[in-house]
Amino acid sequence: MKISRVPTCPTPRKFLWNDDSICKFQQALQLPSVTSQLDQFVHNNVYSLDQDGIDIAVNDFQSCINEAANIALKQRKVKVTGKKKKDKPWYNTLLHDLKKSLDHYSRVLSLNPFNKELRAKCFHLSKTYNKTRKEKRRNYFKDLMVKLKNTSQSNPKTFWDIINTLKSSDQENKESGIDAES
């Protein structure tokens, strides 16, 4: 197996394209910095017909086009979609690693469903993951109850902070279910 030594260009950015973008891009292609790069690309005889030579040629041409686009065009703003899923407070790196391993073995098992060793390994990991997850969750709530018991009389601020962490996030709506007339 041959390992490529050619550095690849980063993924090109997304640009906004409108009616005057054609003229602006053509003008940017005629700027001295871009034309010198394009001339160097055209007159460069270093490119060979093997995979490395083709990769170098593509990267050189792509850098010319990217430079012209950076000069002439506006870039799209990156939109952050959705919320990042917040991990549970008891979810730690051990559980994350177990879940990742379980997912890996599940994918491998789906490709080879009749392998008894893989099936046993996958079921063992599933059992371990679920048992560990339930244990961590149980211990987390036990610790919270101990903290609540200890702070109920001595530190009301901490007590109510702990109570507020127990509220589920879907209770964002502060409205009461019972109207005033009832």
Side-chain angles (χ1 to χ4, degrees):
M1 181 168 70
K2 190 175 184 180
I3 298 174
S4 178
R5 295 171 279 121
V6 181
T8 58
C9 286
T11 307
R13 299 182 192 133
K14 294 184 178 184
F15 297 97
L16 295 175
W17 193 265
N18 53 30
D19 295 335
D20 20 320
S21 296
I22 296 171
C23 294
K24 289 179 181 178
F25 190 72
Q26 288 174 344
Q27 290 171 354
L29 285 173
Q30 294 173 355
L31 291 174
S33 62
V34 179
T35 54
S36 67
Q37 269 190 335
L38 285 171
D39 288 340
Q40 184 180 2
F41 169 74
V42 171
H43 299 297
N44 197 351
N45 294 330
V46 186
Y47 308 124
S48 59
L49 293 179
D50 64 343
Q51 188 63 40
D52 287 343
I54 293 170
D55 289 342
I56 292 171
V58 168
N59 287 336
D60 288 350
F61 185 69
Q62 184 180 0
S63 67
C64 296
I65 299 299
N66 281 339
E67 184 173 342
N70 285 331
I71 293 170
L73 304 174
K74 293 180 181 177
Q75 294 179 6
R76 280 193 183 172
K77 293 180 182 175
V78 178
K79 292 182 181 178
V80 178
T81 57
K83 295 179 182 176
K84 183 180 181 277
K85 185 179 174 184
K86 186 177 178 183
D87 287 336
K88 304 290 185 190
W90 59 85
Y91 200 83
N92 60 10
T93 56
L94 172 66
L95 285 172
H96 178 73
D97 292 342
L98 280 172
K99 178 68 171 154
K100 196 173 180 179
S101 180
L102 175 62
D103 290 344
H104 169 72
Y105 277 103
S106 296
R107 282 191 300 274
V108 173
L109 182 64
S110 71
L111 297 175
N112 193 359
F114 300 109
N115 188 333
K116 292 181 181 180
E117 293 170 3
L118 277 175
R119 182 176 293 275
K121 178 73 172 172
C122 192
F123 286 142
H124 173 71
L125 277 172
S126 176
K127 186 176 179 180
T128 305
Y129 171 72
N130 286 327
K131 186 176 180 180
T132 308
R133 181 177 47 84
K134 288 176 183 178
E135 182 183 344
K136 295 284 185 185
R137 183 177 189 274
R138 194 171 32 252
N139 289 339
Y140 172 76
F141 283 111
K142 269 186 191 176
D143 292 343
L144 274 182
M145 292 305 134
V146 168
K147 285 181 187 176
L148 280 174
K149 193 179 273 188
N150 293 340
T151 60
S152 63
Q153 298 297 320
S154 62
N155 193 348
K157 170 89 170 105
T158 308
F159 175 81
W160 285 107
D161 286 342
I162 293 171
I163 293 292
N164 289 332
T165 60
L166 293 175
K167 288 183 181 178
S168 65
S169 61
D170 59 9
Q171 290 182 347
E172 294 291 325
N173 190 1
K174 301 292 184 190
E175 296 178 19
S176 175
I178 302 172
D179 59 340
E181 296 172 4
S182 299

